[in-house]
């Protein structure tokens, strides 16, 4: 009876060790697959309450129809160049709409799922925590895409000169997806910490308006005092608005450039995802 050589299976096949490259590709593919699986579950919720998309469109419509029309008439806020104020603020109102939807969707949904016991089931599964976070962020981004078409429709009715080139529209959709994902994960982080719907609602209302007004959404950064300029430069919403203003408007310009705006949003998304992935298990405690 001969002794079997080490490293050889009973069927005679040689045992091969998985390479690091193979393991890395498998991990990435699994992360992507489970992220989209979570996103698909979240998007299905829209079938139960599709009116939520229409309700979310009321606030940006009021901003454009009332605030934008009034300030366009009095010309109180300079925009630089020959860009009309209504054109200037259209990109900011789109970013504001995305911000509000993301903040009040992420954390509130997480706490609601915790109360129903859904989060506990996900945490007991082998799904990576990062995939859970990114899945919800992607779903929120898809939800916010409806705001793009609503704002575009209102802007065209009001005479805003939009850039309707297909590439420009694709860039706008990309920026909206990234911006919504960033603020959705930010909301998830808050939801992991506060754990109650009442606190989440209060903190969400407390954060949305400062984030909005400490950006270049409705007035240029040059009009801000120095302390507010500093906050604006570290506010991700500023870069989202800048990218939208330079892309969706026919005569729009970008202060930082589309590449830098995307880089800032992407880095913010990665950092917030890693933080939220670490905090996610706290929801079930």
């Amino acid at each position: 009876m001969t002794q079997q050589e080490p490293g050889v299976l009973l069927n005679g096949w040689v045992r091969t060790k998985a390479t690091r490259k193979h393991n890395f590709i498998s991990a990435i593919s699994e992360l992507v697959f489970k992220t989209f699986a979570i996103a698909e579950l979240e998007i299905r919720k829209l079938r139960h309450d599709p009116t939520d998309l229409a309700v979310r469109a009321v606030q940006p419509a009021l901003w454009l129809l009332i605030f934008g029309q009034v300030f366009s008439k009095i010309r109180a806020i300079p925009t630089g160049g020959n860009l009309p104020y209504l054109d200037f603020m259209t990109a900011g109102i789109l970013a504001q709409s995305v911000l509000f939807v993301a903040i009040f969707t992420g954390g509130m949904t997480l706490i609601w799922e915790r109360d129903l016991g859904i989060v506990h089931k996900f945490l007991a599964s082998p799904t990576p925590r990062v995939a859970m976070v990114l899945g919800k962020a992607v779903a929120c981004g898809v939800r916010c895409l409806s705001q793009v078409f609503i704002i575009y429709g209102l802007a065209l009715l009001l005479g805003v000169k939009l850039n309707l080139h297909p590439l420009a529209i694709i860039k706008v959709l990309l920026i909206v997806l990234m911006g919504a994902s960033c603020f959705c994960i930010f909301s998830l982080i808050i939801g992991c910490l506060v754990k109650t719907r009442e606190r989440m609602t209060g903190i969400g209302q407390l954060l949305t308006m400062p984030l909005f007004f400490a950006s270049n959404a409705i007035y240029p950064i040059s009009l801000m005092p120095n302390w507010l300029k500093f906050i604006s430069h570290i506010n991700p919403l500023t870069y989202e608005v800048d990218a939208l203003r330079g892309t969706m408007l026919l005569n729009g310009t970008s202060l930082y450039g589309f590449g830098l705006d995307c880089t800032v949003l992407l880095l913010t998304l990665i950092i917030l995802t890693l933080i939220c992935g670490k905090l996610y298990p706290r929801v079930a405690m």
Side-chain angles (χ1 to χ4, degrees):
M1 184 173 181
T2 59
Q3 185 177 3
Q4 185 177 358
E5 296 180 4
V8 179
L9 301 180
L10 291 177
N11 58 4
W13 287 20
V14 178
R15 182 186 288 117
T16 58
K17 295 183 179 179
T19 62
R20 292 183 179 179
K21 181 178 180 181
H22 176 73
N23 290 337
F24 177 76
I25 295 175
S26 298
I28 293 298
S29 61
E30 180 184 10
L31 177 63
V32 172
F33 174 77
K34 292 186 176 181
T35 295
F36 282 104
I38 297 293
E40 194 233 348
L41 290 174
E42 294 292 323
I43 294 172
R44 283 186 185 182
K45 296 177 183 178
L46 287 175
R47 295 188 304 176
H48 301 288
D49 189 17
T51 57
D52 180 65
L53 300 180
V55 172
R56 297 291 185 182
V58 173
Q59 186 171 2
L62 292 176
W63 275 88
L64 282 176
L65 294 173
I66 299 176
F67 188 88
Q69 291 286 297
V70 170
F71 275 78
S72 294
K73 296 293 183 182
I74 63 177
R75 299 178 181 179
I77 301 177
T79 61
N82 297 322
L83 190 66
Y85 181 71
L86 187 60
D87 295 32
F88 177 86
M89 77 171 297
T90 297
I93 297 305
L94 174 56
Q96 180 219 39
S97 177
V98 171
L99 170 68
F100 276 58
V101 172
I103 289 291
F104 288 103
T105 296
M108 290 296 293
T109 302
L110 179 63
I111 295 172
W112 177 74
E113 290 179 349
R114 191 276 313 272
D115 295 340
L116 293 178
I118 299 175
V119 173
H120 298 75
K121 295 179 181 179
F122 277 121
L123 290 174
S125 70
T127 305
R129 308 296 183 256
V130 172
M132 297 179 190
V133 174
L134 285 177
K136 289 184 175 294
V138 171
C140 181
V142 173
R143 181 188 294 262
C144 290
L145 292 182
S146 62
Q147 304 299 309
V148 175
F149 301 104
I150 293 170
I151 298 296
Y152 264 66
L154 288 172
L156 288 173
L157 290 175
L158 294 174
V160 176
K161 297 178 181 178
L162 297 175
N163 184 0
L164 299 179
H165 191 278
L167 181 59
I169 295 177
I170 292 174
K171 288 182 177 180
V172 169
L173 296 177
L174 175 63
I175 290 297
V176 168
L177 278 171
M178 294 177 65
S181 299
C182 287
F183 291 110
C184 177
I185 297 177
F186 183 55
S187 177
L188 288 173
I189 292 174
I190 299 173
C192 291
L193 297 174
V194 299
K195 300 182 180 181
T196 62
R197 280 171 282 187
E198 293 77 14
R199 290 182 182 178
M200 182 66 219
T201 302
I203 294 177
Q205 293 174 344
L206 179 66
L207 291 176
T208 48
M209 297 313 291
L211 284 170
F212 176 56
F213 286 110
S215 71
N216 55 349
I218 56 175
Y219 38 70
I221 297 178
S222 58
L223 298 180
M224 300 178 183
N226 291 330
W227 65 269
L228 190 56
K229 286 181 181 179
F230 173 76
I231 297 176
S232 178
H233 286 140
I234 61 175
N235 184 358
L237 189 66
T238 296
Y239 300 93
E240 181 184 353
V241 173
D242 185 67
L244 291 174
R245 188 167 288 140
T247 305
M248 69 183 295
L249 300 178
L250 195 59
N251 298 321
T253 57
S254 173
L255 293 177
Y256 309 111
F258 185 81
L260 179 59
D261 292 330
C262 288
T263 301
V264 171
L265 291 175
L266 182 60
L267 290 176
T268 304
L269 179 61
I270 293 172
I271 294 172
L272 292 178
T273 301
L274 295 176
I275 295 173
C276 191
K278 293 291 185 182
L279 295 175
Y280 206 84
R282 291 173 56 95
V283 185
M285 294 179 181

